[in-house]
Amino acid sequence: MSSKQDQGVYVVPDITIKELLAAIPPHCFHRSALKSSMYMFWNMFVVYIFYTVATYADAYVDPQSLSLPHPALYPFARFSVWALYGFWAGLFATGLWVVGHEAGHQSFSDSKAINNTVGWIIHSALGVPYHSWRITHAKHHASTGHMTQDQVFVPSTRSELGVKPLDPKREDLHGANVSEEVKKELWEALGDSPIGATLGFMSYLIAGWPLYLLINASGQQRYPKGTNHFKPSAVMFSPHHYAQIVVSDVGICLWLAAVAASVHHFGLATVFRVYGVPYLWVNHWLVLITFLQHTDPLLPHYRAPEFTFPRGALSTLDRNLLGDLGSVMGWIGAHATLGISETHIAHHVSSKIPHYNAWEASAALRKVLPTGLRLDGKPGGWAEMYRVFRECKFVEDEGDVVFYKNAQGLAKMRPVFNDITASDSGIEVDK
Protein backbone atom coordinates (compact mmCIF):
# COMPACT_ATOMS: atom_id res chain seq x y z
CA MET A 1 0.00 0.00 0.00
CA SER A 2 1.24 3.49 -0.86
CA SER A 3 0.61 6.83 0.78
CA LYS A 4 -0.02 9.83 -1.48
CA GLN A 5 0.51 13.47 -0.61
CA ASP A 6 -1.01 16.49 -2.33
CA GLN A 7 1.84 18.52 -3.76
CA GLY A 8 2.30 22.03 -4.95
CA VAL A 9 3.76 22.68 -8.38
CA TYR A 10 6.88 24.79 -8.74
CA VAL A 11 7.26 26.13 -12.26
CA VAL A 12 11.02 26.37 -12.76
CA PRO A 13 11.48 30.03 -13.78
CA ASP A 14 12.80 31.11 -17.16
CA ILE A 15 12.96 34.80 -16.37
CA THR A 16 16.30 36.43 -17.21
CA ILE A 17 18.48 38.56 -14.96
CA LYS A 18 18.01 41.41 -17.44
CA GLU A 19 14.25 41.28 -16.93
CA LEU A 20 14.62 41.17 -13.15
CA LEU A 21 17.01 44.13 -13.02
CA ALA A 22 14.88 46.13 -15.47
CA ALA A 23 11.91 45.83 -13.10
CA ILE A 24 13.81 47.67 -10.34
CA PRO A 25 13.76 51.50 -10.42
CA PRO A 26 17.26 52.78 -11.30
CA HIS A 27 17.57 54.96 -8.19
CA CYS A 28 17.36 51.83 -6.01
CA PHE A 29 20.94 51.02 -7.04
CA HIS A 30 22.29 54.33 -5.67
CA ARG A 31 24.63 53.94 -2.67
CA SER A 32 25.34 56.68 -0.15
CA ALA A 33 28.10 56.43 2.45
CA LEU A 34 26.38 59.20 4.46
CA LYS A 35 22.99 57.49 4.51
CA SER A 36 24.51 54.10 5.26
CA SER A 37 26.52 55.64 8.11
CA MET A 38 23.38 57.15 9.60
CA TYR A 39 21.85 53.68 9.96
CA MET A 40 25.09 52.32 11.36
CA PHE A 41 25.39 55.03 14.02
CA TRP A 42 21.70 54.78 14.86
CA ASN A 43 22.03 51.11 15.72
CA MET A 44 25.16 51.85 17.74
CA PHE A 45 23.27 54.57 19.62
CA VAL A 46 20.35 52.26 20.37
CA VAL A 47 22.71 49.60 21.76
CA TYR A 48 24.34 52.29 23.94
CA ILE A 49 20.91 53.41 25.20
CA PHE A 50 20.05 49.83 26.16
CA TYR A 51 23.36 49.58 28.04
CA THR A 52 22.73 52.86 29.85
CA VAL A 53 19.21 51.83 30.85
CA ALA A 54 20.41 48.40 32.03
CA THR A 55 23.22 49.95 34.08
CA TYR A 56 20.80 52.39 35.72
CA ALA A 57 18.23 49.68 36.40
CA ASP A 58 20.92 47.41 37.85
CA ALA A 59 21.88 50.10 40.34
CA TYR A 60 18.22 50.84 41.11
CA VAL A 61 17.43 47.25 42.16
CA ASP A 62 20.53 46.94 44.34
CA PRO A 63 19.37 45.85 47.83
CA GLN A 64 21.60 48.55 49.35
CA SER A 65 19.42 51.19 47.71
CA LEU A 66 16.35 49.79 49.49
CA SER A 67 14.46 50.13 46.20
CA LEU A 68 13.11 46.60 46.40
CA PRO A 69 10.43 45.71 48.96
CA HIS A 70 12.05 42.30 49.28
CA PRO A 71 15.86 42.37 48.83
CA ALA A 72 15.79 38.63 48.16
CA LEU A 73 14.30 39.51 44.76
CA TYR A 74 17.49 41.34 43.79
CA PRO A 75 19.21 38.43 41.97
CA PHE A 76 16.08 37.71 39.91
CA ALA A 77 15.52 41.38 39.12
CA ARG A 78 19.15 41.85 38.15
CA PHE A 79 19.09 38.78 35.93
CA SER A 80 15.92 40.06 34.23
CA VAL A 81 17.47 43.47 33.59
CA TRP A 82 20.55 42.10 31.91
CA ALA A 83 18.65 39.37 30.05
CA LEU A 84 16.43 42.03 28.48
CA TYR A 85 19.48 44.11 27.66
CA GLY A 86 21.20 41.13 26.03
CA PHE A 87 18.19 40.36 23.84
CA TRP A 88 17.58 43.89 22.58
CA ALA A 89 21.24 44.84 22.28
CA GLY A 90 21.84 41.61 20.35
CA LEU A 91 18.95 42.35 17.98
CA PHE A 92 20.23 45.83 17.12
CA ALA A 93 23.84 44.61 17.01
CA THR A 94 22.64 42.19 14.33
CA GLY A 95 21.78 45.31 12.35
CA LEU A 96 25.44 46.33 12.71
CA TRP A 97 26.40 42.90 11.40
CA VAL A 98 24.14 43.64 8.40
CA VAL A 99 26.03 46.91 7.82
CA GLY A 100 29.29 44.96 7.68
CA HIS A 101 27.63 42.46 5.35
CA GLU A 102 26.55 45.27 3.02
CA ALA A 103 30.07 46.68 3.07
CA GLY A 104 31.27 43.27 1.91
CA HIS A 105 28.85 43.51 -1.02
CA GLN A 106 30.17 47.01 -1.79
CA SER A 107 26.70 48.45 -1.16
CA PHE A 108 27.65 50.65 1.83
CA SER A 109 29.17 53.30 -0.44
CA ASP A 110 30.63 53.85 -3.91
CA SER A 111 34.16 53.58 -2.50
CA LYS A 112 35.71 50.14 -2.25
CA ALA A 113 38.22 51.43 0.31
CA ILE A 114 35.44 52.79 2.56
CA ASN A 115 33.43 49.60 2.17
CA ASN A 116 36.29 47.31 3.12
CA THR A 117 37.44 49.50 6.00
CA VAL A 118 33.96 49.73 7.53
CA GLY A 119 33.28 46.05 6.90
CA TRP A 120 36.58 44.92 8.42
CA ILE A 121 36.11 47.00 11.57
CA ILE A 122 32.48 46.02 12.20
CA HIS A 123 32.84 42.36 11.38
CA SER A 124 36.09 41.98 13.29
CA ALA A 125 34.39 43.55 16.33
CA LEU A 126 31.71 40.85 16.04
CA GLY A 127 34.17 37.99 15.63
CA VAL A 128 33.75 37.61 11.86
CA PRO A 129 36.78 37.17 9.53
CA TYR A 130 35.69 39.91 7.12
CA HIS A 131 37.37 39.12 3.81
CA SER A 132 37.25 35.36 4.33
CA TRP A 133 33.50 35.39 4.79
CA ARG A 134 33.03 38.09 2.11
CA ILE A 135 34.69 35.84 -0.46
CA THR A 136 32.70 32.70 0.33
CA HIS A 137 29.50 34.74 0.65
CA ALA A 138 30.05 36.12 -2.87
CA LYS A 139 30.31 32.53 -4.07
CA HIS A 140 27.06 31.75 -2.25
CA HIS A 141 25.35 34.58 -4.17
CA ALA A 142 26.78 33.38 -7.47
CA SER A 143 25.52 29.82 -6.89
CA THR A 144 22.56 30.05 -4.54
CA GLY A 145 20.74 26.75 -4.38
CA HIS A 146 23.42 24.92 -6.41
CA MET A 147 24.01 21.48 -4.93
CA THR A 148 27.77 21.43 -5.55
CA GLN A 149 28.70 25.15 -5.76
CA ASP A 150 26.68 26.85 -3.04
CA GLN A 151 28.65 27.50 0.13
CA VAL A 152 26.16 27.13 2.98
CA PHE A 153 22.87 25.43 3.91
CA VAL A 154 23.58 22.76 1.30
CA PRO A 155 21.02 19.93 1.72
CA SER A 156 22.20 16.47 2.69
CA THR A 157 21.37 13.80 0.14
CA ARG A 158 19.85 10.43 0.90
CA SER A 159 23.19 8.68 0.42
CA GLU A 160 25.05 11.15 2.62
CA LEU A 161 22.66 10.34 5.47
CA GLY A 162 23.32 6.65 4.97
CA VAL A 163 19.72 5.57 4.32
CA LYS A 164 18.62 3.08 1.68
CA PRO A 165 18.72 4.25 -1.95
CA LEU A 166 15.55 5.37 -3.70
CA ASP A 167 13.42 2.41 -4.74
CA PRO A 168 11.25 3.52 -7.70
CA LYS A 169 8.93 0.54 -7.14
CA ARG A 170 8.01 1.75 -3.65
CA GLU A 171 8.40 5.53 -3.86
CA ASP A 172 8.56 8.14 -6.57
CA LEU A 173 11.43 10.52 -7.16
CA HIS A 174 9.52 13.64 -6.22
CA GLY A 175 8.07 12.31 -2.98
CA ALA A 176 4.36 12.33 -3.79
CA ASN A 177 3.75 8.59 -3.55
CA VAL A 178 5.58 6.60 -0.86
CA SER A 179 4.75 3.14 0.44
CA GLU A 180 3.97 2.72 4.12
CA GLU A 181 6.90 0.35 4.39
CA VAL A 182 9.34 2.96 3.09
CA LYS A 183 7.84 5.66 5.28
CA LYS A 184 8.42 3.49 8.31
CA GLU A 185 12.00 2.68 7.29
CA LEU A 186 12.85 6.33 6.73
CA TRP A 187 11.22 7.44 9.96
CA GLU A 188 13.21 4.91 11.95
CA ALA A 189 16.40 6.26 10.36
CA LEU A 190 15.64 10.00 10.32
CA GLY A 191 12.67 10.73 12.57
CA ASP A 192 12.94 12.79 15.72
CA SER A 193 10.73 13.60 18.68
CA PRO A 194 9.51 17.15 19.33
CA ILE A 195 12.01 17.43 22.17
CA GLY A 196 14.83 16.12 19.99
CA ALA A 197 13.94 18.52 17.18
CA THR A 198 13.78 21.44 19.61
CA LEU A 199 17.18 20.63 21.08
CA GLY A 200 18.54 20.13 17.59
CA PHE A 201 17.54 23.49 16.20
CA MET A 202 18.44 25.29 19.44
CA SER A 203 21.98 23.90 19.33
CA TYR A 204 22.10 24.91 15.67
CA LEU A 205 21.19 28.48 16.60
CA ILE A 206 23.77 28.64 19.38
CA ALA A 207 26.77 26.99 17.73
CA GLY A 208 25.95 26.95 14.00
CA TRP A 209 27.74 30.16 13.01
CA PRO A 210 31.12 29.59 14.71
CA LEU A 211 31.08 25.94 13.60
CA TYR A 212 30.52 27.04 9.99
CA LEU A 213 33.55 29.31 10.20
CA LEU A 214 35.70 26.77 12.06
CA ILE A 215 34.81 23.42 10.46
CA ASN A 216 32.52 24.23 7.51
CA ALA A 217 29.43 22.86 9.33
CA SER A 218 26.40 22.95 6.97
CA GLY A 219 28.72 24.15 4.23
CA GLN A 220 29.62 22.63 0.87
CA GLN A 221 29.78 18.89 1.37
CA ARG A 222 32.48 18.24 -1.22
CA TYR A 223 35.07 20.34 0.60
CA PRO A 224 37.74 18.28 2.40
CA LYS A 225 37.79 17.74 6.14
CA GLY A 226 39.52 20.60 7.95
CA THR A 227 38.11 23.30 5.66
CA ASN A 228 37.70 26.58 7.52
CA HIS A 229 37.60 30.36 7.02
CA PHE A 230 40.92 31.08 8.73
CA LYS A 231 43.34 29.13 6.56
CA PRO A 232 44.59 31.17 3.56
CA SER A 233 45.16 27.99 1.56
CA ALA A 234 41.63 26.64 2.16
CA VAL A 235 39.97 25.18 -0.92
CA MET A 236 37.35 27.95 -1.25
CA PHE A 237 40.03 30.64 -1.62
CA SER A 238 42.23 31.45 -4.61
CA PRO A 239 45.95 32.24 -4.34
CA HIS A 240 45.28 35.97 -4.86
CA HIS A 241 43.08 35.96 -1.74
CA TYR A 242 45.99 35.03 0.54
CA ALA A 243 46.73 38.53 1.88
CA GLN A 244 43.03 39.24 2.43
CA ILE A 245 42.64 36.11 4.55
CA VAL A 246 45.66 37.15 6.62
CA VAL A 247 44.12 40.61 7.15
CA SER A 248 40.89 38.91 8.24
CA ASP A 249 42.80 36.72 10.70
CA VAL A 250 44.56 39.80 12.10
CA GLY A 251 41.15 41.30 12.78
CA ILE A 252 40.10 38.17 14.68
CA CYS A 253 43.34 38.16 16.70
CA LEU A 254 42.76 41.80 17.67
CA TRP A 255 39.17 40.96 18.64
CA LEU A 256 40.30 38.08 20.85
CA ALA A 257 42.97 40.26 22.42
CA ALA A 258 40.39 42.97 23.15
CA VAL A 259 38.03 40.45 24.75
CA ALA A 260 40.86 38.99 26.85
CA ALA A 261 42.01 42.46 27.96
CA SER A 262 38.43 43.38 28.87
CA VAL A 263 38.05 40.23 30.95
CA HIS A 264 41.33 41.02 32.75
CA HIS A 265 40.25 44.60 33.47
CA PHE A 266 36.51 44.29 34.12
CA GLY A 267 36.10 40.62 35.03
CA LEU A 268 34.53 37.71 33.17
CA ALA A 269 31.02 38.24 34.54
CA THR A 270 30.88 41.87 33.40
CA VAL A 271 32.25 41.15 29.93
CA PHE A 272 29.88 38.22 29.50
CA ARG A 273 26.72 40.15 30.36
CA VAL A 274 27.72 43.35 28.55
CA TYR A 275 29.29 41.84 25.40
CA GLY A 276 29.05 38.04 25.52
CA VAL A 277 25.28 37.70 25.75
CA PRO A 278 24.53 40.18 22.91
CA TYR A 279 27.26 38.45 20.88
CA LEU A 280 25.51 35.10 21.31
CA TRP A 281 22.21 36.69 20.28
CA VAL A 282 23.85 38.10 17.14
CA ASN A 283 25.07 34.61 16.22
CA HIS A 284 21.59 33.24 16.95
CA TRP A 285 19.81 35.79 14.75
CA LEU A 286 22.33 35.37 11.96
CA VAL A 287 21.74 31.61 11.77
CA LEU A 288 17.97 31.86 12.19
CA ILE A 289 17.61 34.53 9.51
CA THR A 290 19.87 32.93 6.91
CA PHE A 291 18.68 29.37 7.56
CA LEU A 292 15.04 30.33 7.05
CA GLN A 293 15.87 32.37 3.94
CA HIS A 294 17.37 29.34 2.23
CA THR A 295 15.70 26.32 3.80
CA ASP A 296 12.06 25.36 3.30
CA PRO A 297 10.10 22.54 1.64
CA LEU A 298 8.91 25.16 -0.89
CA LEU A 299 12.40 25.99 -2.17
CA PRO A 300 14.16 24.18 -5.03
CA HIS A 301 17.80 23.16 -5.15
CA TYR A 302 19.55 22.69 -8.47
CA ARG A 303 22.21 20.53 -9.99
CA ALA A 304 24.43 21.90 -12.76
CA PRO A 305 22.28 21.04 -15.83
CA GLU A 306 19.35 23.16 -14.63
CA PHE A 307 21.08 25.85 -12.59
CA THR A 308 21.13 29.49 -13.74
CA PHE A 309 21.87 32.61 -11.75
CA PRO A 310 18.25 33.89 -11.86
CA ARG A 311 16.92 30.52 -10.74
CA GLY A 312 19.31 30.53 -7.82
CA ALA A 313 18.47 34.11 -6.87
CA LEU A 314 14.77 33.24 -6.81
CA SER A 315 15.25 30.09 -4.73
CA THR A 316 15.12 32.16 -1.55
CA LEU A 317 12.42 33.47 0.79
CA ASP A 318 11.47 36.86 2.15
CA ARG A 319 10.45 36.36 5.78
CA ASN A 320 9.00 38.69 8.38
CA LEU A 321 11.41 38.44 11.31
CA LEU A 322 9.46 38.30 14.61
CA GLY A 323 6.26 38.90 12.64
CA ASP A 324 4.66 35.84 14.20
CA LEU A 325 4.87 37.68 17.56
CA GLY A 326 2.67 40.52 16.30
CA SER A 327 2.86 43.46 13.91
CA VAL A 328 4.72 45.69 16.38
CA MET A 329 7.41 43.06 17.00
CA GLY A 330 7.59 42.44 13.26
CA TRP A 331 8.25 46.14 12.66
CA ILE A 332 10.88 46.27 15.40
CA GLY A 333 12.62 43.16 14.04
CA ALA A 334 12.74 44.60 10.52
CA HIS A 335 13.90 48.00 11.82
CA ALA A 336 16.63 46.58 14.04
CA THR A 337 18.05 44.22 11.40
CA LEU A 338 17.66 46.67 8.49
CA GLY A 339 15.15 44.50 6.64
CA ILE A 340 17.69 41.79 5.86
CA SER A 341 15.08 39.08 6.34
CA GLU A 342 12.19 40.86 4.63
CA THR A 343 13.96 41.85 1.38
CA HIS A 344 16.15 38.86 0.70
CA ILE A 345 14.98 38.01 -2.82
CA ALA A 346 15.85 41.52 -4.03
CA HIS A 347 19.21 41.21 -2.26
CA HIS A 348 19.96 38.07 -4.29
CA VAL A 349 18.84 39.62 -7.55
CA SER A 350 21.31 42.47 -6.97
CA SER A 351 23.44 42.45 -3.83
CA LYS A 352 24.65 46.00 -4.47
CA ILE A 353 21.24 47.48 -3.63
CA PRO A 354 21.58 49.10 -0.17
CA HIS A 355 19.07 47.98 2.44
CA TYR A 356 17.23 51.30 2.54
CA ASN A 357 16.36 50.89 -1.16
CA ALA A 358 15.68 47.16 -0.98
CA TRP A 359 12.08 47.67 0.20
CA GLU A 360 11.15 49.54 -2.98
CA ALA A 361 13.14 47.10 -5.11
CA SER A 362 11.30 44.17 -3.50
CA ALA A 363 7.90 45.73 -4.20
CA ALA A 364 8.89 46.29 -7.84
CA LEU A 365 10.10 42.70 -8.26
CA ARG A 366 6.87 41.25 -6.88
CA LYS A 367 5.00 42.91 -9.73
CA VAL A 368 6.90 40.94 -12.38
CA LEU A 369 7.39 37.61 -10.62
CA PRO A 370 4.88 34.81 -11.23
CA THR A 371 2.60 34.11 -8.28
CA GLY A 372 4.45 30.93 -7.33
CA LEU A 373 7.72 32.88 -6.94
CA ARG A 374 6.37 35.69 -4.78
CA LEU A 375 7.45 33.89 -1.63
CA ASP A 376 7.16 36.88 0.66
CA GLY A 377 5.58 37.53 4.03
CA LYS A 378 6.40 34.15 5.54
CA PRO A 379 7.01 34.20 9.30
CA GLY A 380 10.60 34.12 10.51
CA GLY A 381 10.71 33.08 14.13
CA TRP A 382 11.40 30.13 16.43
CA ALA A 383 8.16 28.28 15.61
CA GLU A 384 9.03 28.45 11.93
CA MET A 385 12.57 27.30 12.67
CA TYR A 386 11.15 24.26 14.47
CA ARG A 387 8.77 23.45 11.59
CA VAL A 388 11.41 23.75 8.89
CA PHE A 389 13.99 21.84 10.92
CA ARG A 390 11.58 18.89 11.14
CA GLU A 391 10.30 19.01 7.55
CA CYS A 392 13.61 19.39 5.72
CA LYS A 393 15.61 16.17 6.13
CA PHE A 394 17.18 15.32 2.78
CA VAL A 395 17.03 15.61 -1.00
CA GLU A 396 17.43 12.84 -3.52
CA ASP A 397 20.72 11.95 -5.17
CA GLU A 398 18.85 11.86 -8.50
CA GLY A 399 17.18 14.74 -10.32
CA ASP A 400 18.40 18.13 -11.50
CA VAL A 401 15.74 20.08 -9.55
CA VAL A 402 15.13 18.68 -6.09
CA PHE A 403 13.05 19.62 -3.07
CA TYR A 404 13.45 18.68 0.56
CA LYS A 405 11.72 15.55 1.80
CA ASN A 406 10.65 14.92 5.37
CA ALA A 407 11.49 11.95 7.59
CA GLN A 408 8.88 9.85 5.77
CA GLY A 409 10.18 10.62 2.29
CA LEU A 410 7.34 12.99 1.38
CA ALA A 411 7.93 16.29 -0.41
CA LYS A 412 5.64 19.31 -0.59
CA MET A 413 6.67 20.46 -4.07
CA ARG A 414 7.50 19.01 -7.44
CA PRO A 415 9.13 20.83 -10.38
CA VAL A 416 7.50 21.58 -13.71
CA PHE A 417 9.58 22.89 -16.59
CA ASN A 418 9.04 25.43 -19.34
CA ASP A 419 10.75 25.07 -22.68
CA ILE A 420 13.09 28.06 -22.56
CA THR A 421 16.21 28.13 -20.41
CA ALA A 422 16.90 31.33 -18.52
CA SER A 423 20.05 33.33 -19.07
CA ASP A 424 22.85 32.71 -16.63
CA SER A 425 24.38 36.15 -17.00
CA GLY A 426 24.87 38.46 -14.07
CA ILE A 427 26.75 36.09 -11.76
CA GLU A 428 28.52 37.91 -8.99
CA VAL A 429 32.24 37.22 -9.14
CA ASP A 430 34.63 38.11 -6.33
CA LYS A 431 37.67 40.19 -7.19
Side-chain angles (χ1 to χ4, degrees):
M1 180 180 293
S2 295
S3 173
K4 277 197 170 185
Q5 170 171 297
D6 291 334
Q7 285 185 311
V9 171
Y10 184 89
V11 180
V12 179
D14 290 332
I15 194 167
T16 66
I17 191 63
K18 183 178 180 180
E19 292 171 309
L20 292 171
L21 294 176
I24 301 172
H27 63 266
C28 289
F29 298 94
H30 177 68
R31 300 162 289 176
S32 166
L34 176 61
K35 194 169 185 178
S36 297
S37 297
M38 289 172 62
Y39 284 93
M40 177 180 66
F41 288 122
W42 169 251
N43 274 43
M44 289 179 178
F45 176 71
V46 172
V47 172
Y48 173 74
I49 291 299
F50 285 134
Y51 170 74
T52 302
V53 170
T55 302
Y56 174 81
D58 190 10
Y60 181 79
V61 300
D62 192 306
Q64 300 300 319
S65 70
L66 303 179
S67 302
L68 286 176
H70 301 288
L73 294 175
Y74 167 63
F76 173 76
R78 192 171 189 232
F79 174 83
S80 299
V81 164
W82 287 105
L84 286 171
Y85 157 79
F87 174 83
W88 290 110
L91 187 65
F92 277 83
T94 302
L96 294 175
W97 191 99
V98 173
V99 171
H101 157 259
E102 292 209 333
H105 281 295
Q106 306 302 308
S107 61
F108 182 88
S109 77
D110 291 326
S111 166
K112 187 173 183 179
I114 292 176
N115 288 328
N116 287 338
T117 300
V118 170
W120 182 83
I121 292 172
I122 290 181
H123 271 185
S124 295
L126 293 170
V128 180
Y130 170 69
H131 286 294
S132 308
W133 182 80
R134 177 186 64 79
I135 292 164
T136 59
H137 189 62
K139 291 185 176 184
H140 158 68
H141 270 257
S143 304
T144 308
H146 194 300
M147 286 294 295
T148 56
Q149 299 300 325
D150 202 353
Q151 300 297 299
V152 69
F153 301 124
V154 180
S156 296
T157 64
R158 181 189 289 253
S159 61
E160 287 167 345
L161 293 181
V163 297
K164 291 182 179 180
L166 176 76
D167 183 352
K169 295 180 180 179
R170 301 190 299 163
E171 52 181 324
D172 82 58
L173 176 64
H174 297 301
N177 190 0
V178 182
S179 71
E180 294 297 330
E181 183 182 17
V182 169
K183 287 171 64 177
K184 183 178 179 181
E185 291 173 357
L186 288 173
W187 179 260
E188 289 177 351
L190 304 174
D192 48 29
S193 67
I195 293 178
T198 301
L199 293 175
F201 90 77
M202 288 179 64
S203 63
Y204 198 58
L205 291 176
I206 294 171
W209 173 240
L211 289 179
Y212 169 63
L213 296 177
L214 288 167
I215 62 171
N216 193 43
S218 82
Q220 181 50 246
Q221 310 263 1
R222 65 183 176 83
Y223 287 165
K225 187 176 180 180
T227 295
N228 65 71
H229 277 71
F230 304 97
K231 188 177 181 180
S233 59
V235 66
M236 61 268 206
F237 304 130
S238 299
H240 71 275
H241 291 141
Y242 193 96
Q244 297 177 58
I245 311 309
V246 172
V247 169
S248 302
D249 292 348
V250 168
I252 296 301
C253 290
L254 292 174
W255 169 67
L256 291 172
V259 171
S262 298
V263 170
H264 177 74
H265 184 74
F266 299 105
L268 178 60
T270 298
V271 172
F272 180 73
R273 70 171 180 264
V274 173
Y275 177 83
V277 174
Y279 167 77
L280 292 174
W281 273 111
V282 170
N283 288 355
H284 155 277
W285 289 121
L286 173 60
V287 173
L288 183 144
I289 290 169
T290 54
F291 176 83
L292 290 178
Q293 286 166 342
H294 297 286
T295 312
D296 195 278
L298 301 176
L299 295 177
H301 291 267
Y302 297 93
R303 292 191 168 91
E306 292 296 339
F307 177 83
T308 65
F309 176 76
R311 288 177 177 177
L314 298 177
S315 63
T316 62
L317 281 171
D318 288 344
R319 291 187 182 271
N320 186 6
L321 183 65
L322 298 182
D324 50 353
L325 298 179
S327 58
V328 174
M329 287 295 290
W331 180 86
I332 293 174
H335 174 75
T337 60
L338 308 183
I340 188 66
S341 185
E342 290 78 5
T343 61
H344 198 63
I345 294 175
H347 175 62
H348 269 271
V349 170
S350 177
S351 61
K352 287 186 171 59
I353 297 175
H355 67 87
Y356 41 83
N357 293 334
W359 299 93
E360 184 179 354
S362 295
L365 281 173
R366 290 181 190 121
K367 294 178 181 179
V368 302
L369 292 178
T371 302
L373 296 179
R374 294 202 295 269
L375 300 176
D376 58 292
K378 306 292 182 183
W382 299 290
E384 188 71 356
M385 185 81 181
Y386 171 80
R387 179 190 69 82
V388 172
F389 197 83
R390 294 202 75 185
E391 291 187 5
C392 297
K393 294 298 185 183
F394 69 95
V395 299
E396 293 296 347
D397 295 275
E398 299 85 5
D400 292 328
V401 183
V402 293
F403 290 86
Y404 266 112
K405 292 183 175 180
N406 63 20
Q408 293 183 318
L410 298 170
K412 285 193 172 181
M413 301 294 286
R414 61 184 177 87
V416 173
F417 295 89
N418 290 319
D419 294 332
I420 304 172
T421 301
S423 168
D424 64 353
S425 62
I427 292 181
E428 178 182 344
V429 178
D430 172 68
K431 295 181 180 179

